[in-house]
Amino acid sequence: LSGAILAVGGAEDKSEKSKILKRFVQAAGGRKARIAIVAAASSIPDKRAASYEEVFRRLGAAEAFPVPMANRREARSPVLAEALGSSSGVFLTGGDQSRLVSILAGSEILHALFQLHRRGGAIAGTSAAASAFSARMIAGGGSGLTLRPDAVTLRNGLGLLPELIIDQHFSQRERMGRLLCAVAREPACLGVGLDEDTGIFCHPDGEIEVIGSGHVFVIAAASESAEPGRRRPFRISGISVDVLSHGERFASSRREGLSA
Amino acid sequence: LSGAILAVGGAEDKSEKSKILKRFVQAAGGRKARIAIVAAASSIPDKRAASYEEVFRRLGAAEAFPVPMANRREARSPVLAEALGSSSGVFLTGGDQSRLVSILAGSEILHALFQLHRRGGAIAGTSAAASAFSARMIAGGGSGLTLRPDAVTLRNGLGLLPELIIDQHFSQRERMGRLLCAVAREPACLGVGLDEDTGIFCHPDGEIEVIGSGHVFVIAAASESAEPGRRRPFRISGISVDVLSHGERFASSRREGLSA
């Protein structure tokens, strides 16, 4: 039985009231949780990891420890991979998703992360790390609604949530345009735009639950006839949009919103 | 046989190359066009009308003349209504759509406008006037994707295009959120977001053609099950989005994009 995966849109509440981080600690075992923190996406990984260490302890985890990892050499370290594997949950911080993927791709650490997931461990990522959970990952793009075929850059991600193309800071940074373009180019994937302090809790059965204070935008190519979005004049057709709030659920396979 | 209606997202090209304004002059009779200009939406109507007068003459219309109208008294003037009725096409400028509607509602001028349309005359409106063509009109709202039930204010419009809820300056002012909310509240209407220098040419048979340099966002409640968008937590479901460019067509009744 694989574990839960939590993808968060960034800027999550870190106070005692935090719905999202508390939910992660709970999924990782609550008072017994041993949380490994991976800050490889960040250009200041030690500082970033230390701040989450303090947060998770404050939220009641038994342990929270950084897995120091600033380059590919460290990501290949069996010792660090074993440390990660000894946790009951892994939290990946924000930063830059391309940096995170370039450090983790093909590494012992990534292997250990997938193994932990398969053993039922909880995995969470915020901001850049949430994007990196995609198999086809949004590596960059413009803001706003101005749509062009090059409005979004897609690269290979970590593939923890391969059916989803995840974007974050979604309303706050006006990312509807680039997510529409991403889904037009990858119509087999479901686009998921996460607002700040908002996330999706992916249950092992494929059901996805919205948590947090903002919205989750779910963007689906309604049919196989979706245009690839590279034509000129540029067009996007056959896209459906749902906007969901805390407590609502949808399924990644059926691509339909379900009421809470 | 009723005439064409052209709704423009504002900031349309006014040079010799103007695709949109040229198309309007052509629909109004080309070299024989007699274009009446209504600038009631504007707080500086005389100045606004004068600038379009010059543009339409430069684009080859036989005549272009303002129908001076800054208040409800003037809108009730039979003389002005007759002047408007003598035209082959009416152009309504931008400004404020609530101002335009409050001046024109129930007036002789509006009656003459509908009559002209039924006789085959062309009618165009840009920016605020395009919004006012709706029956349920977007009177105001926020920008961006932050969605709340009060993200958009709907009032009664002029009703020239009663099936459509038109928004303008769409990408430029980040209006996806308010148009999604408007369609969630009025699921029987098709939401149409017009970029600047972009418009829809509504043929009398109901087919709608995109013209101009930007995009037109067509937002439809996919089914009658669309949520009213007033619940808490706020949600919008069952919405489809199409993004179309110059030359592409769709139908207001079938609510489906058609390839050019």
Side-chain angles (χ1 to χ4, degrees), chain A residues 143-148 170-172 174-176 180 195 215 217 227 231 233-246 248-249 257-260, chain B residues 143-148 170-172 174-176 180 195 215 217 227 231 233-246 248-249 257-260:
Chain A
S143 71
L145 285 171
T146 307
L147 304 180
R148 295 179 311 276
F170 194 70
S171 296
Q172 288 78 14
E174 296 296 345
R175 288 175 162 174
M176 177 66 97
L180 284 172
D195 278 357
H215 288 112
F217 292 73
E227 299 274 334
R231 285 189 359 172
F234 185 64
R235 88 174 300 195
I236 290 176
S237 68
I239 296 271
S240 78
V241 176
D242 292 82
V243 186
L244 305 176
S245 304
H246 185 79
E248 297 186 302
R249 289 163 184 258
L258 304 171
S259 273
Chain B
S143 70
L145 284 171
T146 307
L147 304 181
R148 295 179 312 276
F170 194 71
S171 295
Q172 290 77 14
E174 296 297 346
R175 289 176 162 174
M176 177 66 96
L180 284 172
D195 278 357
H215 288 112
F217 293 71
E227 300 274 333
R231 286 188 357 172
F234 185 63
R235 87 175 301 194
I236 290 176
S237 67
I239 296 272
S240 77
V241 176
D242 292 82
V243 187
L244 305 176
S245 302
H246 184 80
E248 296 185 302
R249 289 162 184 261
L258 303 171
S259 272

Coordinates of all heavy atoms in Angstrom, one line a residue, chain A residues 143-148 170-172 174-176 180 195 215 217 227 231 233-246 248-249 257-260, chain B residues 143-148 170-172 174-176 180 195 215 217 227 231 233-246 248-249 257-260:
Chain A
S143 N 3.5 34.9 -17.0 CA 2.4 35.0 -16.1 C 1.2 35.6 -17.0 O 1.5 36.1 -18.1 CB 2.7 35.9 -14.9 OG 2.8 37.2 -15.3
G144 N 0.0 35.5 -16.5 CA -1.1 36.1 -17.1 C -1.7 35.2 -18.1 O -1.5 34.0 -18.2
L145 N -2.6 35.8 -18.9 CA -3.4 35.0 -19.9 C -2.9 35.1 -21.3 O -3.5 34.5 -22.2 CB -4.9 35.6 -19.9 CG -5.7 35.2 -18.7 CD1 -7.0 35.9 -18.7 CD2 -6.0 33.7 -18.7
T146 N -1.8 35.8 -21.5 CA -1.3 35.9 -22.9 C -0.8 34.6 -23.3 O 0.2 34.1 -22.7 CB -0.3 37.0 -23.0 OG1 -0.8 38.2 -22.4 CG2 0.1 37.3 -24.4
L147 N -1.4 34.0 -24.3 CA -1.1 32.6 -24.6 C -0.3 32.6 -25.9 O -0.6 33.2 -26.9 CB -2.4 31.8 -24.9 CG -3.3 31.8 -23.7 CD1 -4.6 31.0 -24.0 CD2 -2.7 31.3 -22.4
R148 N 0.8 31.8 -25.9 CA 1.6 31.6 -27.1 C 2.0 30.1 -26.9 O 2.1 29.6 -25.8 CB 2.8 32.5 -27.1 CG 2.5 33.9 -27.3 CD 3.9 34.7 -27.3 NE 4.7 34.3 -26.2 CZ 4.6 34.8 -25.0 NH1 3.8 35.7 -24.7 NH2 5.4 34.4 -24.0
F170 N -0.6 29.8 -7.8 CA -1.4 29.9 -9.0 C -2.1 31.2 -9.3 O -1.9 31.9 -10.2 CB -2.3 28.7 -9.1 CG -2.9 28.5 -10.5 CD1 -2.0 28.0 -11.5 CD2 -4.2 28.7 -10.8 CE1 -2.5 27.8 -12.8 CE2 -4.7 28.5 -12.1 CZ -3.8 28.1 -13.1
S171 N -3.1 31.5 -8.4 CA -3.8 32.8 -8.5 C -2.8 34.0 -8.3 O -2.9 35.0 -9.0 CB -4.9 32.9 -7.5 OG -5.9 32.0 -7.8
Q172 N -2.0 33.8 -7.3 CA -1.1 34.9 -6.8 C -0.2 35.3 -7.9 O 0.2 36.5 -8.1 CB -0.3 34.4 -5.6 CG -1.1 34.3 -4.3 CD -2.0 33.0 -4.3 OE1 -1.8 32.1 -5.1 NE2 -2.9 33.0 -3.4
E174 N -0.8 34.6 -11.3 CA -1.5 34.6 -12.5 C -1.0 33.6 -13.5 O -0.5 33.9 -14.6 CB -1.4 36.0 -13.1 CG -2.1 37.1 -12.3 CD -3.6 36.9 -12.2 OE1 -4.2 36.1 -12.9 OE2 -4.2 37.5 -11.3
R175 N -1.2 32.3 -13.2 CA -0.5 31.3 -14.0 C -1.5 30.5 -14.9 O -1.2 29.4 -15.4 CB 0.3 30.4 -13.1 CG 1.6 31.1 -12.7 CD 2.4 30.3 -11.7 NE 3.7 30.9 -11.7 CZ 4.7 30.5 -10.8 NH1 4.5 29.6 -10.0 NH2 5.9 31.1 -10.9
M176 N -2.8 31.0 -15.0 CA -3.8 30.3 -15.8 C -3.3 30.1 -17.2 O -3.4 29.0 -17.8 CB -5.1 31.0 -15.8 CG -6.2 30.4 -16.6 SD -6.7 28.8 -16.0 CE -8.2 29.3 -15.1
L180 N -3.0 26.4 -19.0 CA -3.8 26.1 -20.2 C -2.9 25.6 -21.3 O -3.2 24.6 -22.0 CB -4.6 27.3 -20.7 CG -5.8 27.7 -19.8 CD1 -6.4 29.0 -20.3 CD2 -6.9 26.6 -19.9
D195 N -3.2 27.3 -5.5 CA -3.0 28.6 -4.9 C -2.0 28.5 -3.7 O -1.8 27.4 -3.2 CB -4.3 29.1 -4.3 CG -5.2 29.8 -5.4 OD1 -4.7 29.9 -6.6 OD2 -6.3 30.2 -5.1
H215 N -7.8 28.2 -3.6 CA -8.5 27.3 -4.6 C -7.5 26.4 -5.3 O -6.3 26.7 -5.4 CB -9.2 28.2 -5.6 CG -10.4 28.9 -5.1 ND1 -10.5 30.3 -5.0 CD2 -11.6 28.4 -4.7 CE1 -11.7 30.6 -4.5 NE2 -12.4 29.5 -4.3
F217 N -7.3 24.8 -9.1 CA -7.9 24.9 -10.5 C -7.5 23.5 -11.1 O -6.3 23.2 -11.3 CB -7.3 26.0 -11.3 CG -7.7 27.4 -10.7 CD1 -7.2 27.9 -9.6 CD2 -8.6 28.2 -11.5 CE1 -7.6 29.1 -9.1 CE2 -9.0 29.4 -11.0 CZ -8.5 29.9 -9.8
E227 N -6.6 20.3 -29.1 CA -5.6 20.7 -30.0 C -4.2 20.7 -29.3 O -4.1 21.0 -28.2 CB -5.9 22.1 -30.5 CG -7.2 22.2 -31.2 CD -7.1 21.9 -32.7 OE1 -6.0 22.1 -33.3 OE2 -8.1 21.4 -33.3
R231 N -0.3 25.2 -33.1 CA -0.7 25.7 -34.4 C -0.7 27.3 -34.4 O -0.7 27.9 -33.4 CB -2.2 25.3 -34.7 CG -2.3 23.9 -35.1 CD -3.7 23.7 -35.5 NE -4.6 24.8 -35.4 CZ -5.8 24.9 -35.9 NH1 -6.3 23.8 -36.5 NH2 -6.6 26.0 -35.8
P233 N -3.0 30.2 -36.4 CA -3.2 30.9 -35.2 C -3.3 30.0 -34.0 O -3.9 28.9 -34.1 CB -4.4 31.7 -35.4 CG -5.2 31.0 -36.4 CD -4.2 30.4 -37.3
F234 N -2.7 30.4 -32.9 CA -2.8 29.6 -31.7 C -4.2 29.4 -31.2 O -4.9 30.4 -31.1 CB -1.9 30.3 -30.6 CG -1.7 29.5 -29.4 CD1 -1.1 28.3 -29.4 CD2 -2.3 30.0 -28.2 CE1 -0.9 27.6 -28.3 CE2 -2.1 29.2 -27.0 CZ -1.4 28.0 -27.1
R235 N -4.6 28.2 -30.9 CA -5.9 28.0 -30.3 C -5.8 26.9 -29.3 O -4.9 26.0 -29.3 CB -6.9 27.7 -31.4 CG -7.0 26.2 -31.7 CD -8.1 25.9 -32.6 NE -9.4 26.2 -32.1 CZ -10.5 25.8 -32.6 NH1 -10.5 25.0 -33.6 NH2 -11.6 26.2 -32.1
I236 N -6.7 26.9 -28.3 CA -6.9 25.9 -27.4 C -8.4 25.6 -27.4 O -9.2 26.4 -27.2 CB -6.4 26.3 -26.0 CG1 -4.9 26.5 -25.9 CG2 -6.8 25.3 -24.9 CD1 -4.4 27.0 -24.6
S237 N -8.7 24.3 -27.5 CA -10.1 24.0 -27.5 C -10.3 22.7 -26.7 O -9.4 21.9 -26.4 CB -10.6 23.8 -28.9 OG -10.1 22.6 -29.5
G238 N -11.6 22.6 -26.2 CA -12.0 21.4 -25.5 C -11.3 21.2 -24.2 O -10.8 20.1 -23.8
I239 N -11.2 22.3 -23.5 CA -10.6 22.3 -22.1 C -11.7 22.5 -21.1 O -12.6 23.4 -21.3 CB -9.6 23.4 -22.0 CG1 -8.4 23.2 -23.0 CG2 -9.1 23.6 -20.6 CD1 -7.3 22.4 -22.5
S240 N -11.7 21.7 -20.0 CA -12.6 22.0 -18.9 C -11.9 22.5 -17.7 O -10.7 22.2 -17.5 CB -13.4 20.8 -18.6 OG -12.7 19.9 -17.8
V241 N -12.5 23.4 -17.0 CA -11.9 24.0 -15.8 C -12.9 23.8 -14.6 O -14.1 24.1 -14.7 CB -11.7 25.5 -16.0 CG1 -11.2 26.2 -14.8 CG2 -10.8 25.8 -17.2
D242 N -12.3 23.3 -13.5 CA -13.1 23.3 -12.2 C -12.2 24.1 -11.2 O -11.0 24.0 -11.2 CB -13.3 21.8 -11.8 CG -14.2 21.1 -12.7 OD1 -13.8 20.6 -13.7 OD2 -15.4 21.0 -12.3
V243 N -12.9 24.7 -10.3 CA -12.3 25.5 -9.3 C -12.8 25.0 -7.9 O -14.0 25.1 -7.7 CB -12.6 27.0 -9.4 CG1 -11.7 27.8 -8.4 CG2 -12.3 27.5 -10.8
L244 N -11.9 24.4 -7.2 CA -12.3 23.6 -6.0 C -11.7 24.3 -4.7 O -10.7 24.9 -4.8 CB -11.9 22.2 -6.1 CG -12.4 21.4 -7.3 CD1 -11.8 20.0 -7.3 CD2 -13.9 21.4 -7.4
S245 N -12.4 24.0 -3.6 CA -12.0 24.6 -2.3 C -11.8 23.4 -1.3 O -12.1 22.3 -1.5 CB -13.0 25.5 -1.7 OG -13.3 26.5 -2.7
H246 N -11.3 23.8 -0.1 CA -11.0 22.9 1.0 C -12.1 21.9 1.2 O -13.3 22.2 1.3 CB -10.9 23.7 2.3 CG -10.5 22.8 3.4 ND1 -9.2 22.4 3.6 CD2 -11.2 22.3 4.4 CE1 -9.1 21.7 4.7 NE2 -10.3 21.6 5.2
E248 N -13.1 19.5 -0.9 CA -13.6 18.9 -2.1 C -12.6 17.9 -2.7 O -11.4 18.0 -2.4 CB -14.0 20.0 -3.1 CG -15.1 20.9 -2.6 CD -15.5 21.9 -3.5 OE1 -14.7 22.7 -4.0 OE2 -16.7 21.9 -3.8
R249 N -13.2 17.0 -3.4 CA -12.4 15.9 -4.0 C -12.5 15.7 -5.5 O -13.6 16.1 -6.0 CB -12.8 14.6 -3.3 CG -12.4 14.5 -1.8 CD -13.1 13.4 -1.1 NE -12.8 13.4 0.3 CZ -12.0 12.5 0.9 NH1 -11.4 11.6 0.1 NH2 -11.7 12.6 2.2
G257 N -14.7 16.4 -11.1 CA -14.8 16.9 -9.8 C -15.9 16.1 -9.0 O -16.9 15.7 -9.6
L258 N -15.6 15.8 -7.8 CA -16.6 15.1 -7.0 C -16.9 16.0 -5.8 O -16.0 16.6 -5.2 CB -16.0 13.8 -6.4 CG -15.5 12.8 -7.5 CD1 -14.8 11.6 -6.8 CD2 -16.7 12.2 -8.3
S259 N -18.2 16.0 -5.5 CA -18.5 16.9 -4.3 C -18.0 16.3 -3.0 O -17.9 15.1 -2.9 CB -20.0 17.0 -4.2 OG -20.5 18.1 -5.0
A260 N -17.7 17.2 -2.1 CA -17.2 16.7 -0.8 C -18.4 16.0 0.0 O -19.5 16.3 -0.2 CB -16.7 17.8 0.0
Chain B
S143 N -9.6 41.9 -10.7 CA -8.8 41.3 -11.7 C -8.1 40.1 -11.1 O -8.1 39.9 -9.9 CB -7.7 42.3 -12.2 OG -6.8 42.5 -11.2
G144 N -7.6 39.3 -12.0 CA -6.8 38.1 -11.5 C -7.7 36.9 -11.3 O -8.9 36.9 -11.8
L145 N -7.2 35.9 -10.7 CA -7.9 34.6 -10.6 C -8.5 34.4 -9.2 O -9.1 33.3 -9.0 CB -6.9 33.4 -10.8 CG -6.5 33.2 -12.3 CD1 -5.3 32.2 -12.4 CD2 -7.7 32.7 -13.1
T146 N -8.3 35.3 -8.3 CA -8.9 35.2 -7.0 C -10.4 35.2 -7.1 O -11.0 36.2 -7.5 CB -8.3 36.2 -6.1 OG1 -6.9 36.2 -6.1 CG2 -8.8 35.9 -4.6
L147 N -11.0 34.0 -6.8 CA -12.4 33.9 -7.0 C -13.2 34.0 -5.7 O -12.9 33.3 -4.8 CB -12.7 32.5 -7.7 CG -12.0 32.3 -9.0 CD1 -12.3 30.9 -9.5 CD2 -12.3 33.3 -10.0
R148 N -14.2 34.8 -5.8 CA -15.2 34.9 -4.7 C -16.5 35.1 -5.3 O -16.6 35.6 -6.4 CB -14.9 36.1 -3.8 CG -13.6 36.0 -3.0 CD -13.4 37.3 -2.2 NE -13.7 38.5 -3.0 CZ -12.8 39.1 -3.8 NH1 -11.6 38.6 -3.9 NH2 -13.2 40.1 -4.5
F170 N -9.3 41.7 -21.9 CA -9.4 40.4 -21.1 C -8.0 39.9 -20.6 O -7.9 39.8 -19.4 CB -10.1 39.4 -21.9 CG -10.5 38.2 -21.1 CD1 -11.6 38.4 -20.2 CD2 -9.9 37.0 -21.2 CE1 -12.0 37.3 -19.4 CE2 -10.3 35.9 -20.4 CZ -11.4 36.1 -19.5
S171 N -7.1 39.6 -21.5 CA -5.8 39.2 -21.0 C -5.1 40.3 -20.3 O -4.4 40.2 -19.3 CB -4.9 38.7 -22.1 OG -5.5 37.5 -22.7
Q172 N -5.2 41.5 -20.9 CA -4.4 42.7 -20.5 C -4.8 43.0 -19.1 O -3.9 43.5 -18.3 CB -4.7 43.8 -21.4 CG -4.0 43.7 -22.8 CD -4.8 42.7 -23.7 OE1 -6.0 42.4 -23.5 NE2 -4.2 42.3 -24.8
E174 N -6.3 40.8 -16.9 CA -6.4 39.6 -16.1 C -7.9 39.4 -15.6 O -8.1 39.4 -14.4 CB -5.5 39.7 -14.9 CG -4.0 39.7 -15.3 CD -3.6 38.4 -16.1 OE1 -4.3 37.4 -16.0 OE2 -2.5 38.4 -16.7
R175 N -8.8 39.2 -16.5 CA -10.2 39.1 -16.1 C -10.8 37.7 -16.2 O -12.0 37.5 -16.2 CB -11.0 40.1 -17.0 CG -10.7 41.5 -16.6 CD -11.3 42.5 -17.5 NE -11.3 43.8 -16.8 CZ -11.7 45.0 -17.3 NH1 -12.1 45.0 -18.6 NH2 -11.7 46.1 -16.6
M176 N -9.9 36.7 -16.2 CA -10.5 35.3 -16.3 C -11.3 35.0 -15.0 O -12.4 34.4 -15.1 CB -9.3 34.3 -16.4 CG -9.7 32.9 -16.3 SD -10.7 32.4 -17.8 CE -9.4 31.7 -18.8
L180 N -15.2 33.7 -15.2 CA -15.6 32.4 -14.7 C -16.7 32.5 -13.7 O -17.7 31.8 -13.7 CB -14.4 31.7 -14.0 CG -13.3 31.1 -14.9 CD1 -12.1 30.7 -14.1 CD2 -13.8 29.9 -15.7
D195 N -9.7 40.0 -25.9 CA -8.5 40.7 -25.7 C -8.5 42.1 -26.4 O -9.4 42.3 -27.2 CB -7.3 40.0 -26.3 CG -6.8 38.9 -25.4 OD1 -7.3 38.7 -24.3 OD2 -5.9 38.1 -25.9
H215 N -6.6 37.1 -28.6 CA -7.4 35.9 -28.4 C -8.8 36.3 -27.9 O -9.0 37.3 -27.3 CB -6.7 35.0 -27.4 CG -5.5 34.3 -27.9 ND1 -4.3 34.6 -27.4 CD2 -5.3 33.4 -28.8 CE1 -3.4 33.9 -28.0 NE2 -4.0 33.1 -28.9
F217 N -11.5 34.3 -25.5 CA -11.7 33.2 -24.5 C -13.2 33.0 -24.5 O -14.0 33.9 -24.1 CB -11.2 33.6 -23.1 CG -9.7 33.7 -23.1 CD1 -9.1 34.8 -23.7 CD2 -9.0 32.7 -22.4 CE1 -7.7 34.9 -23.6 CE2 -7.6 32.8 -22.3 CZ -6.9 33.9 -22.9
E227 N -22.5 24.8 -11.1 CA -22.9 25.3 -9.8 C -23.1 26.8 -9.8 O -22.5 27.5 -10.6 CB -21.7 25.0 -8.8 CG -21.3 23.6 -8.7 CD -22.2 22.9 -7.6 OE1 -22.6 23.6 -6.7 OE2 -22.4 21.7 -7.7
R231 N -22.0 29.2 -3.4 CA -21.8 28.4 -2.2 C -20.5 28.7 -1.4 O -19.6 29.3 -2.0 CB -21.7 26.9 -2.6 CG -23.0 26.3 -3.0 CD -22.9 24.8 -3.2 NE -21.5 24.4 -3.1 CZ -21.2 23.1 -3.0 NH1 -22.1 22.2 -3.2 NH2 -19.9 22.7 -2.9
P233 N -17.8 26.3 0.8 CA -16.7 26.9 0.0 C -17.1 27.1 -1.4 O -17.8 26.4 -2.0 CB -15.6 25.8 0.2 CG -16.3 24.5 0.3 CD -17.5 24.9 1.2
F234 N -16.5 28.2 -1.9 CA -16.8 28.6 -3.3 C -16.2 27.6 -4.2 O -15.1 27.2 -4.2 CB -16.1 30.0 -3.5 CG -16.5 30.5 -4.8 CD1 -17.7 30.9 -5.2 CD2 -15.5 30.7 -5.8 CE1 -18.1 31.4 -6.4 CE2 -15.8 31.3 -7.0 CZ -17.1 31.6 -7.3
R235 N -17.1 27.2 -5.2 CA -16.5 26.3 -6.2 C -17.2 26.6 -7.5 O -18.3 27.1 -7.6 CB -16.8 24.8 -5.9 CG -18.2 24.3 -6.3 CD -18.4 22.8 -6.1 NE -17.3 22.1 -6.7 CZ -17.4 20.7 -6.9 NH1 -18.5 20.1 -6.4 NH2 -16.5 20.1 -7.5
I236 N -16.5 26.3 -8.6 CA -17.0 26.4 -9.9 C -16.7 25.0 -10.6 O -15.6 24.6 -10.6 CB -16.3 27.5 -10.7 CG1 -16.7 28.9 -10.2 CG2 -16.7 27.4 -12.2 CD1 -16.0 30.0 -10.8
S237 N -17.8 24.4 -11.2 CA -17.5 23.1 -11.8 C -18.2 23.1 -13.2 O -19.2 23.8 -13.4 CB -18.0 22.0 -10.9 OG -19.4 22.0 -10.8
G238 N -17.7 22.2 -14.0 CA -18.4 22.0 -15.3 C -18.3 23.2 -16.2 O -19.3 23.5 -16.9
I239 N -17.1 23.8 -16.3 CA -16.9 24.9 -17.2 C -16.0 24.5 -18.3 O -15.0 23.8 -18.0 CB -16.3 26.1 -16.4 CG1 -17.2 26.6 -15.3 CG2 -15.8 27.2 -17.3 CD1 -18.2 27.7 -15.7
S240 N -16.3 24.9 -19.5 CA -15.3 24.6 -20.6 C -14.7 25.9 -21.1 O -15.4 27.0 -21.1 CB -16.0 23.9 -21.7 OG -16.7 24.7 -22.5
V241 N -13.5 25.9 -21.5 CA -12.8 27.1 -22.0 C -12.2 26.8 -23.3 O -11.6 25.7 -23.6 CB -11.6 27.4 -21.0 CG1 -10.8 28.6 -21.5 CG2 -12.2 27.7 -19.6
D242 N -12.4 27.7 -24.3 CA -11.8 27.6 -25.6 C -11.1 28.9 -25.8 O -11.6 30.0 -25.4 CB -12.8 27.4 -26.7 CG -13.4 26.0 -26.7 OD1 -14.3 25.8 -25.9 OD2 -12.9 25.1 -27.4
V243 N -9.9 28.9 -26.4 CA -9.2 30.1 -26.7 C -9.0 30.2 -28.2 O -8.3 29.3 -28.8 CB -7.8 30.1 -26.0 CG1 -7.1 31.4 -26.2 CG2 -8.0 29.7 -24.5
L244 N -9.6 31.2 -28.8 CA -9.6 31.2 -30.3 C -8.9 32.5 -30.8 O -8.7 33.5 -30.1 CB -11.1 31.3 -30.8 CG -12.0 30.2 -30.2 CD1 -13.4 30.4 -30.7 CD2 -11.5 28.8 -30.7
S245 N -8.5 32.4 -32.1 CA -7.7 33.4 -32.7 C -8.4 33.9 -34.0 O -9.4 33.2 -34.5 CB -6.3 33.0 -33.1 OG -5.6 32.5 -32.0
H246 N -7.9 34.9 -34.6 CA -8.4 35.5 -35.9 C -8.8 34.4 -36.9 O -8.0 33.5 -37.2 CB -7.3 36.4 -36.5 CG -7.8 37.1 -37.7 ND1 -8.5 38.2 -37.6 CD2 -7.6 36.8 -39.0 CE1 -8.8 38.6 -38.9 NE2 -8.3 37.8 -39.7
E248 N -11.1 32.2 -36.6 CA -11.9 31.0 -36.1 C -13.3 31.4 -35.8 O -13.6 32.6 -35.6 CB -11.2 30.5 -34.9 CG -9.8 29.9 -35.3 CD -9.1 29.3 -34.2 OE1 -8.9 29.9 -33.1 OE2 -8.7 28.1 -34.3
R249 N -14.2 30.4 -35.8 CA -15.6 30.7 -35.6 C -16.2 29.8 -34.5 O -15.7 28.7 -34.2 CB -16.4 30.4 -36.9 CG -16.1 31.4 -38.0 CD -16.5 30.8 -39.3 NE -16.1 31.8 -40.4 CZ -17.0 32.6 -41.0 NH1 -18.3 32.6 -40.6 NH2 -16.6 33.4 -41.9
G257 N -16.8 25.4 -30.3 CA -15.8 26.0 -31.2 C -15.9 25.3 -32.6 O -16.0 24.1 -32.6
L258 N -15.8 26.0 -33.6 CA -15.7 25.4 -35.0 C -14.4 25.9 -35.6 O -14.0 27.0 -35.5 CB -16.9 25.9 -35.8 CG -18.3 25.7 -35.3 CD1 -19.3 26.5 -36.1 CD2 -18.6 24.2 -35.3
S259 N -13.8 24.9 -36.3 CA -12.5 25.3 -36.9 C -12.8 26.3 -38.1 O -13.8 26.3 -38.7 CB -11.8 24.1 -37.4 OG -11.0 23.6 -36.4
A260 N -11.8 27.1 -38.3 CA -11.9 28.1 -39.4 C -11.8 27.3 -40.8 O -11.2 26.2 -40.8 CB -10.8 29.1 -39.3

